[in-house]
Amino acid sequence: SVRPAPRGPARARLLLLVCCPTFRSSFARLFGGEAAEQWRFAGGSTEPPAPPQEAEAEADEGPLLAALGWFALLRVEGRAEASKGPRLSVAAAASLPKGAPLLACGSPFGAFCPDIFLNSLSRGVLSNAAGPLLLTDARCLPGTEGAGVFSADGELVALVAAPLCWRAREWVGLSLLCAADALLRAAAHALGRLGSQADARLLAALLPPDGGDPAAAPTEHSAAWVAAVLVECGSVWGSGVALAPRLVLTCRHVAPREAKRVLVRPATPKSSPVWGKVVFATQDTSPYDVAVVKLEENLKGIPFPVLASHFHEGEDVQVVGFGAFGQTCGPSVTSGILSAVVEVNDAPVMLQTTCAVHGGSSGGPLFTGSGELLGIVTSNTRDNSTGATYPHLNFSIPITALEPALDQYRRTGDLQPLQELDRPGEQVRVVWRLQRVPAEPPRSKL
Amino acid sequence: MGRRWDPALAAGEQAGCVVSARGAERPGAEAEGPWSCSGVLLSRRAGLVLCHGGIVAPFLRMGAAALQPGAGPPFLGADSCRDDLRLHVQWGPGRGPGAQAGPRGALCTPPC
C-alpha cells in the first residue's frame, strides 16, 4: 500500500510566499476591468460555508481571498521521512486539452476534522485555461484552497486557488486553479533569489522538461467541442454549434428572428469570425428555444459533429459553452451525466444533465463522451422564490427533435419543417413549462 | 472509480495534507486563528509543502497590502510574517474509526 502511517500535526516553518506573475496577469485579464464587479470568489475559513447568497456578500472578507493567487512554501520540522510511495511528478499544464479528466484531492473545511475530511476526492474535467489560470468543474469546498489537482495518470496539474466562484450573483460551479508547473517555477526562482539553492533545485527537479513534448500538445483541433461557436447578436451573445460549413444552431433568445445579422466566432483562434443571418427562429410561444443561422462564408477547420440518434440516461456527457468568459478565453467544457430524458409519445423532448451550465451557455452543444451531439442547451434552473440558481440542473433540446427539419433545410432550403417546431403538442409545452404531465386527464365529477 | 484513476488516487493520497496557521498564545491575549487550508506534500524526504498563501496573510507584518499586484516582487521571504506565526501540517490516512478525534466545530450532520 502507498498509504502512509497516520500522522498528527507536525510543526512547520514558512520558507516563502510566492505568486505566479502569469497567473496574476491572466486573472486580471479575465476577472478584472468591467467584469470585476460581476465576479466573486469565496472559500477559505475555519468557519462552515455560508449559503451562497451570504457567502457572496462576505466573499471579499476572508484572508484566503486577499491572497488569491499567493501560495506558501513550508518545511515540516523534524518529521521529514523517506518517500515510500511514488515520486510526485508535475504535469505541463499547457499540454492538457480542455475536457481532460482531473481529480482534486483536498480537505474540505481545512483543519476541521481531518480524520473525517482529509484527502477527500472530487472528479471533474479541465473546463478552461488562460495560461496558468485553470478552471475545473470538480466540486471543491471551502478549505480546499491549496489542494492538489491531479491528472488521471497521477501527475500534479494544479493547486486550488479559489474553490467557489459567483458571476452576477450566480454560482458558477467552477473552481479556480493555478497551474503547478508555473507555480513551482516561480517558487524555484524565488528560492534562488533568497539563497536557498538546494531547495530551488529540488523544486526544479519536479518540473516537466522545458518546452514540453510536442506530441503531448493538446489535440484540440480534433476535439468535438471545437464545433462550439460564440454567437454575437448586437449586445447579446451566447453559444451555438456548427452543424455544417454554413449552418449554425443556437437559441432563439441568443439570435431572435428579428436579428438581421449575427457574428459567429469559432472556438479555435485560427478560424476567423463569419457573419451570418437568422433564417429561422421559433416563435416566443414555442417551447423549443431554437434559431438557425446561415453563414455568409464557410467555417474552416471545424470537425462537424455526428448527431446522436439515441439517449442513454446516466451516460457521461459534456456541455460546451461560452458562458463563463465569452470570447475572452474560449468555450468552457463541463462534465456530468445525462440525468434525465423526458419523452412524449416515445420521442425525447427534453434532456437534463448534471454538467455546470451558466448564463451565456445557451445554444451550446451537449456531447456524449465519444463526441456525438445530443442536443443544445437552453437553460439552467432558478428558484424564483429564493433567487438561487442551480447550474447543475439544466435543460437541452434533443437533437432528434430537430434533426429531420434541419436535414430537410440543409438539403432543400425548405423552412417549412422547421416551422413545425412552432406547433408542438400540448404535452411538450407542459414539459417545458416544468409542469407535471398528468397520468390521466382529470375526470369531471358532475 | 475504476482502475483508470488508480495513479491519481495514489498520488493524491501520498501528497494531500492540511495546513493550519495560528498566532502563538500571548499572556493576556487570545491566540489568532486558526486559519487552515489544504496543501500538497511536494517532497516527503525534504518535508516541503505547498499550500494556499491566505492562511499566513493575517500574519504579514505589512498586512495584506504586501500581496497587492505591483507592491513588489512576486515573492516574500519568511521574515515578511510575524514571529508569532505557528504552522502545522497534517497528512496521512486519518479517516475511519481509528482516527484521532478532532475538535468539535460548527459543522454538524443534520438528517436529510
Side-chain angles (χ1 to χ4, degrees), chain B:
Chain B
M1 288 191 284
R3 297 187 62 82
R4 176 194 182 193
W5 288 95
D6 281 356
L9 293 169
E13 186 73 19
Q14 181 80 5
C17 62
V18 60
V19 184
S20 58
R22 66 163 71 228
E25 289 186 21
R26 287 170 291 183
E30 279 191 23
E32 282 183 82
W35 285 272
S36 64
C37 69
S38 303
V40 176
L41 260 165
L42 296 174
S43 164
R44 284 176 172 268
R45 187 183 298 272
L48 286 181
V49 171
L50 195 58
C51 71
H52 201 281
I55 60 166
V56 301
F59 299 92
L60 286 166
R61 295 180 197 276
M62 290 179 58
L67 305 177
Q68 296 306 311
F75 63 89
L76 297 167
D79 57 357
S80 60
C81 285
R82 299 196 319 251
D83 296 334
D84 65 321
L85 168 63
R86 298 289 179 266
L87 292 162
H88 289 90
V89 180
Q90 191 168 8
W91 70 89
R95 288 169 288 181
Q100 293 179 350
R104 285 194 67 81
L107 279 181
C108 60
T109 56
C112 332

Side-chain angles (χ1 to χ4, degrees), chain A residues 5-142:
Chain A
R7 289 287 181 189
R11 280 278 302 264
R13 66 184 172 87
L14 179 68
L15 296 180
L16 64 88
L17 273 164
V18 63
C19 79
C20 169
T22 333
F23 175 90
R24 293 297 289 251
S25 57
S26 296
F27 183 86
R29 184 168 66 85
L30 285 182
F31 303 106
E34 293 178 2
E37 291 178 6
Q38 291 204 324
W39 284 94
R40 293 287 182 273
F41 302 92
S45 80
T46 51
E47 299 297 319
Q53 295 294 329
E54 293 173 36
E56 183 199 356
E58 296 168 359
D60 290 330
E61 297 174 8
L64 294 182
L65 293 163
L68 203 150
W70 284 84
F71 292 83
L73 185 67
L74 322 176
R75 185 191 301 286
V76 178
E77 293 181 339
R79 297 285 291 272
E81 57 182 46
S83 174
K84 294 168 188 158
R87 180 177 170 273
L88 183 75
S89 61
V90 177
S95 70
L96 260 70
K98 284 181 190 176
L102 296 177
L103 185 80
C105 179
S107 298
F109 319 118
F112 174 77
C113 251
D115 43 332
I116 303 296
F117 294 126
L118 183 70
N119 291 345
S120 290
L121 304 172
S122 179
R123 208 174 76 182
V125 298
L126 177 62
S127 294
N128 213 329
L133 190 156
L134 313 179
L135 288 145
T136 182
D137 62 353
R139 297 187 197 173
C140 299
L141 289 170

Side-chain angles (χ1 to χ4, degrees), chain A residues 86-437:
Chain A
R87 180 177 170 273
L88 183 75
S89 61
V90 177
S95 70
L96 260 70
K98 284 181 190 176
L102 296 177
L103 185 80
C105 179
S107 298
F109 319 118
F112 174 77
C113 251
D115 43 332
I116 303 296
F117 294 126
L118 183 70
N119 291 345
S120 290
L121 304 172
S122 179
R123 208 174 76 182
V125 298
L126 177 62
S127 294
N128 213 329
L133 190 156
L134 313 179
L135 288 145
T136 182
D137 62 353
R139 297 187 197 173
C140 299
L141 289 170
T144 59
E145 298 85 354
V149 179
F150 299 86
S151 64
D153 57 3
E155 288 186 311
L156 179 67
V157 173
L159 277 76
V160 175
L164 301 171
C165 307
W166 282 265
R167 191 190 65 164
R169 300 185 69 82
E170 282 189 16
W171 177 41
V172 172
L174 300 177
S175 297
L176 189 62
L177 314 176
C178 180
D181 57 346
L183 187 57
L184 291 189
R185 209 164 275 122
H189 176 73
L191 283 170
R193 294 268 301 272
L194 293 169
S196 302
Q197 305 298 341
D199 286 336
R201 282 194 295 274
L202 199 155
L203 290 192
L206 299 175
L207 290 168
D210 266 344
D213 176 5
T219 53
E220 295 181 340
H221 62 278
S222 60
W225 63 260
V226 176
V229 294
L230 176 68
V231 179
E232 294 180 0
C233 186
S235 60
V236 176
W237 56 266
S239 304
V241 57
L243 298 181
R246 294 197 181 200
L247 182 65
V248 166
L249 186 63
T250 183
C251 284
R252 166 186 70 212
H253 73 268
V254 174
R257 62 173 62 198
E258 58 270 22
K260 289 182 179 165
R261 292 185 92 199
V262 295
L263 187 62
V264 170
R265 295 182 187 272
T268 54
K270 290 178 184 173
S271 308
S272 304
V274 177
W275 285 99
K277 66 175 180 179
V278 181
V279 292
F280 172 76
T282 48
Q283 294 175 356
D284 288 345
T285 52
S286 170
Y288 288 129
D289 184 351
V290 172
V292 177
V293 175
K294 182 181 180 184
L295 302 178
E296 294 173 2
E297 298 170 46
N298 283 358
L299 289 168
K300 291 171 186 153
I302 292 180
F304 301 105
V306 174
L307 310 189
S309 54
H310 294 89
F311 306 93
H312 305 286
E313 288 182 349
E315 74 176 314
D316 290 340
V317 295
Q318 294 191 338
V319 163
V320 188
F322 287 79
F325 304 104
Q327 62 171 310
T328 314
C329 70
S332 296
V333 179
T334 56
S335 61
I337 64 167
L338 190 60
S339 49
V341 179
V342 182
E343 296 185 341
V344 170
N345 298 329
D346 295 328
V349 299
M350 172 197 275
L351 307 177
Q352 296 167 31
T353 85
T354 61
C355 304
V357 165
H358 330 106
S361 297
S362 287
L366 169 65
F367 289 115
T368 63
S370 58
E372 286 188 346
L373 180 67
L374 290 169
I376 62 165
V377 174
T378 63
S379 55
N380 59 17
T381 313
R382 179 179 297 148
D383 182 341
N384 284 328
S385 62
T386 64
T389 299
Y390 301 97
H392 296 100
L393 174 55
N394 43 78
F395 306 97
S396 298
I397 303 171
I399 195 66
T400 48
L402 310 175
E403 194 273 336
L406 287 168
D407 185 53
Q408 176 86 348
Y409 170 70
R410 282 174 58 180
R411 285 187 291 106
T412 66
D414 182 6
L415 290 171
Q416 179 62 33
L418 284 167
Q419 287 160 356
E420 291 300 314
L421 295 170
D422 286 328
R423 295 183 283 275
E426 180 58 20
Q427 285 184 303
V428 177
R429 295 177 187 276
V430 165
V431 167
W432 278 95
R433 284 199 299 261
L434 304 186
Q435 293 175 339
R436 191 161 61 94
V437 181

